[in-house]
Amino acid sequence: MPARRHASLTVLALCWAAVFFDGFDVMVYGAGLPYMLDDTSFGLDARTAGTIGSWTTLGMLLGALGCGSLTDGLGRRPVLVGCVLAFSVGSGVCAVAGSVGVFGAGRFLTGIGLGGLIPVCLAVVAEFTPAARVPLATGILMSAYHAGGMTATGVGLWLAPGHGWRWAFAAGVLPAVVAVPLLLRFLPESPGVLWATGRRRKAAETALAYGLPDPAAGPGGAGPGGAARGGAEPGRSGGRLRAVAALVGREHRAATLLLWLASACGLMLVYGLSTWLPQLMRASGYGLGSSVGFLMAVNAGGIAGMLLAGWVASRFGAVPVAGTWFALTSVSLLLLSVRMPVPVTYVLVTVTGTWLYSASTMVYAVAGGFYPAALRAPGLGWVAGVGRLGAVLSPWLGGFLLSRGHGAWGFPVFAAAGVVGAVAVVLSRLVRRGPVPDGAPGAREAGRAARTA
Protein backbone atom coordinates (compact mmCIF):
# COMPACT_ATOMS: atom_id res chain seq x y z
CA MET A 1 0.00 0.00 0.00
CA PRO A 2 2.76 2.58 0.76
CA ALA A 3 4.33 1.86 -2.63
CA ARG A 4 1.01 2.37 -4.37
CA ARG A 5 0.42 5.60 -2.46
CA HIS A 6 3.86 6.79 -3.52
CA ALA A 7 3.05 5.92 -7.12
CA SER A 8 -0.21 7.93 -7.05
CA LEU A 9 1.64 10.87 -5.52
CA THR A 10 4.13 10.70 -8.40
CA VAL A 11 1.25 11.02 -10.85
CA LEU A 12 -0.15 13.97 -8.90
CA ALA A 13 3.27 15.66 -8.80
CA LEU A 14 3.79 15.27 -12.56
CA CYS A 15 0.34 16.64 -13.36
CA TRP A 16 0.88 19.45 -10.83
CA ALA A 17 4.01 20.49 -12.74
CA ALA A 18 2.12 20.45 -16.05
CA VAL A 19 -0.74 22.55 -14.65
CA PHE A 20 1.81 24.93 -13.09
CA PHE A 21 3.16 25.70 -16.54
CA ASP A 22 -0.40 25.96 -17.86
CA GLY A 23 -1.14 28.67 -15.29
CA PHE A 24 2.15 30.38 -16.15
CA ASP A 25 1.35 30.62 -19.85
CA VAL A 26 -2.23 31.81 -19.22
CA MET A 27 -1.18 34.58 -16.83
CA VAL A 28 2.00 35.72 -18.61
CA TYR A 29 -0.15 37.57 -21.16
CA GLY A 30 -1.80 39.71 -18.48
CA ALA A 31 1.55 40.23 -16.74
CA GLY A 32 3.32 41.31 -19.93
CA LEU A 33 0.46 43.26 -21.48
CA PRO A 34 1.13 46.65 -19.81
CA TYR A 35 4.71 46.59 -21.11
CA MET A 36 3.54 45.50 -24.57
CA LEU A 37 1.07 48.39 -24.77
CA ASP A 38 3.86 50.78 -23.77
CA ASP A 39 6.10 49.38 -26.54
CA THR A 40 5.14 51.75 -29.37
CA SER A 41 7.43 49.97 -31.86
CA PHE A 42 5.29 46.82 -31.65
CA GLY A 43 2.03 48.61 -32.47
CA LEU A 44 -0.38 46.86 -30.11
CA ASP A 45 -3.40 48.81 -28.85
CA ALA A 46 -5.89 47.93 -26.14
CA ARG A 47 -8.67 46.85 -28.48
CA THR A 48 -6.43 44.49 -30.48
CA ALA A 49 -4.97 43.16 -27.23
CA GLY A 50 -8.48 42.25 -26.11
CA THR A 51 -9.16 40.51 -29.42
CA ILE A 52 -5.95 38.49 -29.05
CA GLY A 53 -7.04 37.54 -25.54
CA SER A 54 -10.29 36.24 -27.02
CA TRP A 55 -8.35 34.27 -29.65
CA THR A 56 -6.48 32.63 -26.80
CA THR A 57 -9.67 31.58 -25.03
CA LEU A 58 -11.20 30.44 -28.33
CA GLY A 59 -8.16 28.22 -28.79
CA MET A 60 -8.71 26.92 -25.26
CA LEU A 61 -12.31 26.06 -26.14
CA LEU A 62 -11.21 24.14 -29.25
CA GLY A 63 -8.42 22.44 -27.31
CA ALA A 64 -10.76 21.32 -24.53
CA LEU A 65 -13.27 19.90 -27.02
CA GLY A 66 -10.72 18.23 -29.29
CA CYS A 67 -8.38 16.73 -26.72
CA GLY A 68 -11.21 15.00 -24.88
CA SER A 69 -11.93 12.93 -28.00
CA LEU A 70 -8.27 12.35 -28.87
CA THR A 71 -7.50 10.74 -25.51
CA ASP A 72 -9.82 7.82 -26.28
CA GLY A 73 -7.72 6.75 -29.26
CA LEU A 74 -4.25 8.12 -28.63
CA GLY A 75 -4.11 7.83 -24.85
CA ARG A 76 -3.82 10.44 -22.16
CA ARG A 77 -0.05 10.69 -21.95
CA PRO A 78 0.55 11.51 -25.67
CA VAL A 79 -2.24 14.10 -25.64
CA LEU A 80 -0.91 15.65 -22.44
CA VAL A 81 2.59 15.88 -23.91
CA GLY A 82 1.15 17.34 -27.11
CA CYS A 83 -0.66 20.03 -25.12
CA VAL A 84 2.54 21.01 -23.30
CA LEU A 85 4.42 21.21 -26.59
CA ALA A 86 1.64 23.28 -28.18
CA PHE A 87 1.57 26.00 -25.57
CA SER A 88 5.38 26.00 -25.29
CA VAL A 89 5.81 26.48 -29.04
CA GLY A 90 3.04 29.10 -29.03
CA SER A 91 4.82 31.03 -26.29
CA GLY A 92 8.04 30.85 -28.29
CA VAL A 93 6.26 32.26 -31.35
CA CYS A 94 5.01 35.15 -29.19
CA ALA A 95 8.53 35.84 -27.95
CA VAL A 96 9.95 36.28 -31.47
CA ALA A 97 6.84 37.68 -33.20
CA GLY A 98 7.65 40.54 -35.55
CA SER A 99 4.04 41.64 -35.93
CA VAL A 100 0.83 41.72 -33.94
CA GLY A 101 -0.71 39.14 -36.30
CA VAL A 102 2.06 36.60 -35.70
CA PHE A 103 1.82 37.23 -31.97
CA GLY A 104 -1.95 36.57 -32.11
CA ALA A 105 -1.34 33.29 -33.98
CA GLY A 106 1.11 32.28 -31.26
CA ARG A 107 -1.45 32.99 -28.54
CA PHE A 108 -4.10 31.00 -30.43
CA LEU A 109 -1.75 27.99 -30.58
CA THR A 110 -0.96 28.52 -26.90
CA GLY A 111 -4.68 28.48 -26.15
CA ILE A 112 -5.20 25.14 -27.89
CA GLY A 113 -2.58 23.53 -25.68
CA LEU A 114 -3.80 25.26 -22.53
CA GLY A 115 -7.42 24.28 -23.12
CA GLY A 116 -6.65 20.60 -23.53
CA LEU A 117 -4.18 20.19 -20.69
CA ILE A 118 -6.22 20.75 -17.52
CA PRO A 119 -9.11 18.41 -18.43
CA VAL A 120 -6.62 15.64 -19.23
CA CYS A 121 -4.65 16.22 -16.01
CA LEU A 122 -7.84 16.19 -13.95
CA ALA A 123 -8.88 12.90 -15.54
CA VAL A 124 -5.45 11.33 -14.95
CA VAL A 125 -5.32 12.40 -11.30
CA ALA A 126 -8.88 11.20 -10.73
CA GLU A 127 -8.07 7.79 -12.19
CA PHE A 128 -4.84 7.20 -10.26
CA THR A 129 -6.03 8.59 -6.90
CA PRO A 130 -8.09 6.62 -4.35
CA ALA A 131 -11.72 7.75 -4.63
CA ALA A 132 -11.84 9.16 -1.10
CA ARG A 133 -8.90 11.45 -1.82
CA VAL A 134 -10.00 12.74 -5.24
CA PRO A 135 -11.47 16.07 -3.97
CA LEU A 136 -8.28 16.81 -2.02
CA ALA A 137 -6.06 15.80 -4.93
CA THR A 138 -8.15 17.98 -7.26
CA GLY A 139 -7.72 20.99 -4.98
CA ILE A 140 -3.97 20.40 -4.76
CA LEU A 141 -3.74 20.01 -8.54
CA MET A 142 -5.64 23.25 -9.24
CA SER A 143 -3.46 25.17 -6.79
CA ALA A 144 -0.69 24.66 -9.36
CA TYR A 145 -2.56 26.87 -11.81
CA HIS A 146 -2.43 29.83 -9.45
CA ALA A 147 1.14 29.09 -8.41
CA GLY A 148 2.06 29.25 -12.09
CA GLY A 149 0.15 32.50 -12.42
CA MET A 150 2.02 34.02 -9.50
CA THR A 151 5.32 32.93 -11.03
CA ALA A 152 4.36 34.47 -14.37
CA THR A 153 3.69 37.76 -12.61
CA GLY A 154 7.03 37.58 -10.82
CA VAL A 155 8.85 36.82 -14.08
CA GLY A 156 7.03 39.73 -15.74
CA LEU A 157 8.05 42.12 -12.98
CA TRP A 158 11.63 40.84 -13.06
CA LEU A 159 12.32 40.57 -16.79
CA ALA A 160 9.98 42.95 -18.62
CA PRO A 161 11.07 46.32 -17.14
CA GLY A 162 14.78 45.82 -17.83
CA HIS A 163 14.90 43.32 -20.69
CA GLY A 164 11.59 43.73 -22.50
CA TRP A 165 8.30 41.83 -22.55
CA ARG A 166 9.58 39.22 -25.04
CA TRP A 167 11.72 37.54 -22.38
CA ALA A 168 8.63 36.84 -20.26
CA PHE A 169 7.12 34.87 -23.16
CA ALA A 170 10.46 33.19 -23.88
CA ALA A 171 10.28 31.74 -20.37
CA GLY A 172 7.09 30.00 -21.49
CA VAL A 173 9.20 27.66 -23.66
CA LEU A 174 10.61 25.99 -20.53
CA PRO A 175 7.77 23.44 -20.21
CA ALA A 176 8.92 21.74 -23.41
CA VAL A 177 12.39 21.37 -21.89
CA VAL A 178 11.44 20.55 -18.29
CA ALA A 179 8.00 18.94 -18.20
CA VAL A 180 7.92 16.91 -21.43
CA PRO A 181 10.89 14.61 -20.61
CA LEU A 182 9.48 13.97 -17.11
CA LEU A 183 6.01 13.14 -18.46
CA LEU A 184 7.40 10.78 -21.09
CA ARG A 185 9.61 9.03 -18.56
CA PHE A 186 7.43 8.73 -15.47
CA LEU A 187 3.71 9.30 -16.26
CA PRO A 188 1.78 6.01 -16.72
CA GLU A 189 -0.90 5.54 -19.34
CA SER A 190 -4.49 4.90 -18.33
CA PRO A 191 -5.21 1.16 -17.90
CA GLY A 192 -8.58 1.74 -19.56
CA VAL A 193 -6.94 3.21 -22.65
CA LEU A 194 -4.29 0.48 -22.69
CA TRP A 195 -6.96 -2.20 -22.59
CA ALA A 196 -9.10 -0.53 -25.25
CA THR A 197 -6.12 -0.27 -27.61
CA GLY A 198 -5.14 -3.92 -27.23
CA ARG A 199 -2.23 -3.58 -24.79
CA ARG A 200 -3.89 -5.81 -22.24
CA ARG A 201 -0.83 -7.14 -20.42
CA LYS A 202 0.45 -3.58 -19.89
CA ALA A 203 -3.02 -2.54 -18.73
CA ALA A 204 -3.08 -5.27 -16.09
CA GLU A 205 0.47 -4.46 -14.93
CA THR A 206 -0.32 -0.73 -14.59
CA ALA A 207 -3.54 -1.38 -12.71
CA LEU A 208 -1.74 -3.70 -10.27
CA ALA A 209 1.14 -1.27 -9.73
CA TYR A 210 -1.17 1.64 -8.93
CA GLY A 211 -3.84 -0.27 -7.02
CA LEU A 212 -6.54 0.31 -9.67
CA PRO A 213 -9.42 -2.04 -10.56
CA ASP A 214 -8.47 -4.98 -12.75
CA PRO A 215 -9.12 -3.79 -16.34
CA ALA A 216 -10.28 -7.29 -17.27
CA ALA A 217 -13.06 -7.22 -14.64
CA GLY A 218 -16.72 -6.75 -15.38
CA PRO A 219 -18.44 -3.79 -13.72
CA GLY A 220 -15.96 -0.96 -13.25
CA GLY A 221 -13.30 -2.63 -15.37
CA ALA A 222 -12.35 -2.04 -18.95
CA GLY A 223 -13.04 -5.52 -20.18
CA PRO A 224 -16.24 -7.02 -21.54
CA GLY A 225 -18.31 -5.94 -18.58
CA GLY A 226 -17.67 -2.20 -18.58
CA ALA A 227 -15.28 0.70 -18.94
CA ALA A 228 -12.43 1.43 -16.61
CA ARG A 229 -12.63 4.45 -14.41
CA GLY A 230 -12.06 7.31 -16.82
CA GLY A 231 -12.01 5.02 -19.89
CA ALA A 232 -14.12 5.05 -23.02
CA GLU A 233 -17.72 3.94 -23.07
CA PRO A 234 -19.43 2.02 -25.83
CA GLY A 235 -22.04 3.74 -27.94
CA ARG A 236 -20.68 7.13 -26.97
CA SER A 237 -21.90 9.10 -30.02
CA GLY A 238 -25.51 8.02 -29.72
CA GLY A 239 -25.39 8.39 -25.96
CA ARG A 240 -24.16 11.97 -26.25
CA LEU A 241 -27.04 12.98 -28.52
CA ARG A 242 -29.61 11.46 -26.17
CA ALA A 243 -27.93 13.11 -23.19
CA VAL A 244 -27.99 16.55 -24.82
CA ALA A 245 -31.68 16.12 -25.64
CA ALA A 246 -32.33 15.24 -22.00
CA LEU A 247 -30.35 18.23 -20.72
CA VAL A 248 -32.54 20.68 -22.63
CA GLY A 249 -35.72 18.65 -22.22
CA ARG A 250 -38.66 19.85 -20.15
CA GLU A 251 -37.45 18.39 -16.86
CA HIS A 252 -33.99 19.95 -16.87
CA ARG A 253 -34.16 22.83 -19.38
CA ALA A 254 -34.60 25.80 -17.03
CA ALA A 255 -31.89 24.73 -14.59
CA THR A 256 -29.52 23.75 -17.42
CA LEU A 257 -29.80 27.17 -19.07
CA LEU A 258 -29.25 28.91 -15.73
CA LEU A 259 -26.18 26.79 -15.01
CA TRP A 260 -24.81 27.59 -18.46
CA LEU A 261 -25.31 31.29 -17.73
CA ALA A 262 -23.65 31.02 -14.31
CA SER A 263 -20.69 29.17 -15.79
CA ALA A 264 -20.28 31.80 -18.51
CA CYS A 265 -20.33 34.56 -15.88
CA GLY A 266 -17.76 32.71 -13.77
CA LEU A 267 -15.30 32.24 -16.62
CA MET A 268 -15.94 35.78 -17.82
CA LEU A 269 -14.67 36.95 -14.45
CA VAL A 270 -11.70 34.58 -14.41
CA TYR A 271 -10.35 35.35 -17.87
CA GLY A 272 -11.38 39.00 -17.91
CA LEU A 273 -9.46 39.75 -14.73
CA SER A 274 -6.53 37.48 -15.67
CA THR A 275 -6.08 39.51 -18.86
CA TRP A 276 -6.97 43.02 -17.79
CA LEU A 277 -6.41 43.41 -14.05
CA PRO A 278 -3.08 45.29 -14.39
CA GLN A 279 -4.48 47.68 -17.00
CA LEU A 280 -7.68 48.26 -15.02
CA MET A 281 -5.59 49.08 -11.98
CA ARG A 282 -3.51 51.51 -14.05
CA ALA A 283 -6.75 53.14 -15.24
CA SER A 284 -7.64 53.58 -11.56
CA GLY A 285 -4.42 55.52 -10.97
CA TYR A 286 -1.96 52.90 -9.68
CA GLY A 287 1.64 52.68 -10.88
CA LEU A 288 2.83 50.10 -13.41
CA GLY A 289 4.79 47.98 -10.91
CA SER A 290 1.94 47.84 -8.42
CA SER A 291 -0.60 47.12 -11.16
CA VAL A 292 1.29 44.02 -12.34
CA GLY A 293 1.94 42.98 -8.74
CA PHE A 294 -1.81 42.90 -8.13
CA LEU A 295 -1.98 39.95 -10.55
CA MET A 296 0.24 38.00 -8.17
CA ALA A 297 -1.96 38.94 -5.22
CA VAL A 298 -5.19 37.83 -6.92
CA ASN A 299 -3.64 34.43 -7.69
CA ALA A 300 -2.47 34.06 -4.09
CA GLY A 301 -6.07 34.56 -3.05
CA GLY A 302 -7.14 32.01 -5.67
CA ILE A 303 -5.04 29.28 -4.04
CA ALA A 304 -6.64 29.89 -0.65
CA GLY A 305 -10.10 30.19 -2.21
CA MET A 306 -9.95 26.80 -3.94
CA LEU A 307 -9.28 25.05 -0.63
CA LEU A 308 -11.72 27.20 1.37
CA ALA A 309 -14.64 26.81 -1.04
CA GLY A 310 -14.54 23.00 -1.00
CA TRP A 311 -14.35 22.92 2.80
CA VAL A 312 -17.28 25.32 3.25
CA ALA A 313 -19.37 23.62 0.54
CA SER A 314 -18.98 20.24 2.24
CA ARG A 315 -20.80 21.73 5.24
CA PHE A 316 -23.33 24.13 3.76
CA GLY A 317 -23.82 22.90 0.19
CA ALA A 318 -22.51 24.15 -3.13
CA VAL A 319 -25.50 26.35 -4.07
CA PRO A 320 -25.30 28.83 -1.15
CA VAL A 321 -21.51 28.89 -1.39
CA ALA A 322 -21.51 29.54 -5.15
CA GLY A 323 -24.13 32.27 -4.82
CA THR A 324 -22.31 33.90 -1.91
CA TRP A 325 -18.93 33.68 -3.65
CA PHE A 326 -20.31 35.39 -6.77
CA ALA A 327 -21.90 38.13 -4.66
CA LEU A 328 -18.70 38.71 -2.67
CA THR A 329 -16.74 38.90 -5.92
CA SER A 330 -19.08 41.65 -7.13
CA VAL A 331 -18.70 43.63 -3.91
CA SER A 332 -14.91 43.29 -4.01
CA LEU A 333 -14.72 44.42 -7.64
CA LEU A 334 -16.83 47.49 -6.92
CA LEU A 335 -14.51 48.38 -4.05
CA LEU A 336 -11.51 48.01 -6.37
CA SER A 337 -12.93 50.77 -8.57
CA VAL A 338 -12.25 53.19 -5.67
CA ARG A 339 -8.69 54.51 -5.34
CA MET A 340 -7.18 53.36 -2.01
CA PRO A 341 -3.71 53.21 -0.45
CA VAL A 342 -1.59 50.57 -2.17
CA PRO A 343 -1.23 48.25 0.88
CA VAL A 344 -5.00 48.27 1.42
CA THR A 345 -5.57 47.55 -2.26
CA TYR A 346 -3.19 44.57 -2.14
CA VAL A 347 -5.26 43.08 0.68
CA LEU A 348 -8.50 43.71 -1.20
CA VAL A 349 -7.16 42.20 -4.43
CA THR A 350 -6.04 39.08 -2.53
CA VAL A 351 -9.49 38.76 -0.96
CA THR A 352 -11.10 39.23 -4.38
CA GLY A 353 -9.06 36.30 -5.71
CA THR A 354 -10.36 34.16 -2.85
CA TRP A 355 -13.92 34.49 -4.14
CA LEU A 356 -13.40 35.03 -7.86
CA TYR A 357 -11.65 31.86 -9.00
CA SER A 358 -13.51 29.38 -6.84
CA ALA A 359 -16.94 30.86 -7.70
CA SER A 360 -16.75 29.33 -11.18
CA THR A 361 -15.53 26.02 -9.74
CA MET A 362 -18.52 25.93 -7.39
CA VAL A 363 -20.83 26.12 -10.42
CA TYR A 364 -19.47 22.70 -11.42
CA ALA A 365 -20.17 21.46 -7.90
CA VAL A 366 -23.77 22.68 -8.17
CA ALA A 367 -24.18 20.93 -11.51
CA GLY A 368 -22.58 17.77 -10.13
CA GLY A 369 -25.25 17.60 -7.43
CA PHE A 370 -28.11 18.59 -9.73
CA TYR A 371 -28.00 16.04 -12.53
CA PRO A 372 -28.82 12.35 -12.00
CA ALA A 373 -25.97 9.89 -12.47
CA ALA A 374 -26.82 9.13 -16.10
CA LEU A 375 -26.61 12.82 -17.07
CA ARG A 376 -23.89 14.01 -14.74
CA ALA A 377 -20.89 13.67 -17.09
CA PRO A 378 -22.55 15.23 -20.17
CA GLY A 379 -24.23 17.84 -17.98
CA LEU A 380 -20.91 18.94 -16.51
CA GLY A 381 -19.25 18.85 -19.91
CA TRP A 382 -21.83 21.20 -21.38
CA VAL A 383 -21.74 23.51 -18.35
CA ALA A 384 -17.97 23.81 -18.78
CA GLY A 385 -18.14 24.09 -22.57
CA VAL A 386 -20.83 26.77 -22.77
CA GLY A 387 -19.09 28.61 -19.96
CA ARG A 388 -16.08 29.03 -22.25
CA LEU A 389 -18.15 31.54 -24.23
CA GLY A 390 -17.78 33.90 -21.28
CA ALA A 391 -14.03 33.32 -21.39
CA VAL A 392 -13.98 34.24 -25.10
CA LEU A 393 -16.06 37.39 -24.58
CA SER A 394 -14.36 38.93 -21.55
CA PRO A 395 -10.86 39.72 -22.96
CA TRP A 396 -12.47 41.46 -25.93
CA LEU A 397 -14.85 43.35 -23.66
CA GLY A 398 -12.04 44.66 -21.46
CA GLY A 399 -10.07 45.78 -24.51
CA PHE A 400 -13.13 47.50 -25.95
CA LEU A 401 -13.73 49.49 -22.76
CA LEU A 402 -10.10 50.53 -22.40
CA SER A 403 -9.73 51.47 -26.07
CA ARG A 404 -12.75 53.77 -25.77
CA GLY A 405 -11.37 55.44 -22.67
CA HIS A 406 -13.90 53.76 -20.38
CA GLY A 407 -11.43 51.87 -18.20
CA ALA A 408 -13.21 53.15 -15.10
CA TRP A 409 -16.22 51.05 -16.12
CA GLY A 410 -14.22 47.82 -16.18
CA PHE A 411 -14.68 46.80 -12.57
CA PRO A 412 -18.43 47.69 -12.44
CA VAL A 413 -19.07 45.73 -15.67
CA PHE A 414 -17.32 42.64 -14.33
CA ALA A 415 -19.09 43.13 -10.98
CA ALA A 416 -22.39 42.97 -12.87
CA ALA A 417 -21.34 39.58 -14.26
CA GLY A 418 -20.87 38.43 -10.66
CA VAL A 419 -24.40 39.56 -9.77
CA VAL A 420 -25.86 37.71 -12.75
CA GLY A 421 -23.88 34.59 -11.83
CA ALA A 422 -25.16 34.71 -8.24
CA VAL A 423 -28.78 35.05 -9.33
CA ALA A 424 -28.46 32.33 -11.96
CA VAL A 425 -26.90 29.75 -9.65
CA VAL A 426 -29.50 30.33 -6.91
CA LEU A 427 -32.40 30.19 -9.37
CA SER A 428 -31.04 26.95 -10.83
CA ARG A 429 -31.81 25.28 -7.51
CA LEU A 430 -35.23 26.88 -7.17
CA VAL A 431 -36.47 25.79 -10.62
CA ARG A 432 -35.22 22.20 -10.47
CA ARG A 433 -37.81 19.43 -10.34
CA GLY A 434 -37.71 16.58 -7.87
CA PRO A 435 -35.20 15.79 -5.10
CA VAL A 436 -31.46 16.34 -5.33
CA PRO A 437 -29.95 13.07 -6.65
CA ASP A 438 -27.36 11.15 -4.70
CA GLY A 439 -27.37 13.52 -1.73
CA ALA A 440 -26.78 17.23 -1.38
CA PRO A 441 -23.98 18.79 -3.44
CA GLY A 442 -20.73 19.37 -1.64
CA ALA A 443 -17.05 18.53 -1.82
CA ARG A 444 -17.79 15.09 -3.28
CA GLU A 445 -19.56 16.64 -6.29
CA ALA A 446 -16.93 19.36 -6.54
CA GLY A 447 -14.30 16.69 -7.11
CA ARG A 448 -16.37 15.01 -9.80
CA ALA A 449 -17.14 18.34 -11.42
CA ALA A 450 -13.52 19.42 -11.54
CA ARG A 451 -12.57 16.23 -13.36
CA THR A 452 -14.94 17.18 -16.19
CA ALA A 453 -14.38 20.95 -16.30
Side-chain angles (χ1 to χ4, degrees):
M1 185 64 70
R4 291 176 178 174
R5 182 177 301 173
H6 174 75
S8 65
L9 288 176
T10 299
V11 171
L12 177 59
L14 289 168
C15 290
W16 194 96
V19 173
F20 172 89
F21 287 118
D22 184 294
F24 181 97
D25 271 356
V26 168
M27 298 293 179
V28 75
Y29 184 55
L33 189 53
Y35 304 99
M36 296 173 64
L37 292 172
D38 288 348
D39 182 1
T40 56
S41 65
F42 189 56
L44 181 68
D45 57 38
R47 188 166 187 173
T48 305
T51 301
I52 290 175
S54 293
W55 290 352
T56 307
T57 52
L58 177 61
M60 294 175 73
L61 172 61
L62 297 177
L65 295 175
C67 289
S69 300
L70 287 175
T71 54
D72 292 339
L74 299 179
R76 294 202 171 105
R77 185 172 64 174
V79 172
L80 184 55
V81 169
C83 288
V84 174
L85 289 174
F87 67 69
S88 296
V89 171
S91 192
V93 170
C94 291
V96 301
S99 67
V100 172
V102 173
F103 182 90
R107 286 304 291 175
F108 180 74
L109 176 60
T110 298
I112 291 176
L114 296 173
L117 184 136
I118 286 184
V120 176
C121 282
L122 287 165
V124 170
V125 168
E127 182 169 5
F128 284 89
T129 301
R133 296 191 180 95
V134 167
L136 176 61
T138 299
I140 293 172
L141 178 68
M142 293 310 296
S143 72
Y145 179 90
H146 298 289
M150 293 175 65
T151 304
T153 306
V155 168
L157 286 170
W158 174 47
L159 288 176
H163 304 282
W165 56 267
R166 294 181 184 275
W167 282 101
F169 287 94
V173 180
L174 286 176
V177 180
V178 177
V180 168
L182 293 174
L183 292 171
L184 289 173
R185 175 65 179 86
F186 297 108
L187 187 69
E189 183 54 87
S190 161
V193 172
L194 291 171
W195 181 278
T197 54
R199 292 170 286 177
R200 299 188 172 183
R201 175 176 295 180
K202 183 64 176 177
E205 292 173 351
T206 303
L208 180 62
Y210 288 87
L212 303 179
D214 184 354
R229 188 162 46 129
E233 297 175 7
R236 178 168 289 187
S237 299
R240 282 177 175 169
L241 293 176
R242 288 192 296 271
V244 172
L247 291 173
V248 296
R250 182 181 178 187
E251 182 178 1
H252 301 299
R253 182 187 305 128
T256 292
L257 294 176
L258 287 166
L259 288 171
W260 288 355
L261 177 60
S263 180
C265 289
L267 291 182
M268 180 178 178
L269 290 167
V270 168
Y271 288 95
L273 271 296
S274 295
T275 302
W276 288 114
L277 180 62
Q279 283 301 109
L280 291 176
M281 299 307 288
R282 290 182 81 183
S284 297
Y286 296 92
L288 177 58
S290 296
S291 296
V292 176
F294 290 136
L295 198 59
M296 182 178 292
V298 78
N299 276 283
I303 294 175
M306 286 292 179
L307 302 176
L308 177 64
W311 179 77
V312 176
S314 67
R315 286 155 177 77
F316 299 101
V319 172
V321 171
T324 302
W325 259 232
F326 270 118
L328 290 171
T329 299
S330 296
V331 172
S332 298
L333 291 176
L334 288 175
L335 290 174
L336 284 176
S337 65
V338 179
R339 184 71 164 83
M340 301 180 187
V342 172
V344 176
T345 306
Y346 265 107
V347 173
L348 181 57
V349 169
T350 304
V351 171
T352 302
T354 303
W355 319 124
L356 187 149
Y357 290 105
S358 49
S360 62
T361 301
M362 284 295 101
V363 174
Y364 305 141
V366 173
F370 168 72
Y371 293 112
L375 291 178
R376 187 166 291 138
L380 287 166
W382 276 85
V383 166
V386 174
R388 289 285 179 184
L389 297 177
V392 172
L393 172 65
S394 56
W396 171 86
L397 178 60
F400 176 80
L401 292 173
L402 287 164
S403 67
R404 296 297 181 92
H406 300 314
W409 285 96
F411 285 124
V413 166
F414 285 119
V419 173
V420 174
V423 172
V425 78
V426 171
L427 286 179
S428 71
R429 180 61 180 269
L430 297 178
V431 302
R432 66 161 286 107
R433 299 167 181 258
V436 178
D438 302 328
R444 183 164 49 112
E445 285 74 17
R448 295 192 191 114
R451 298 200 296 274
T452 307

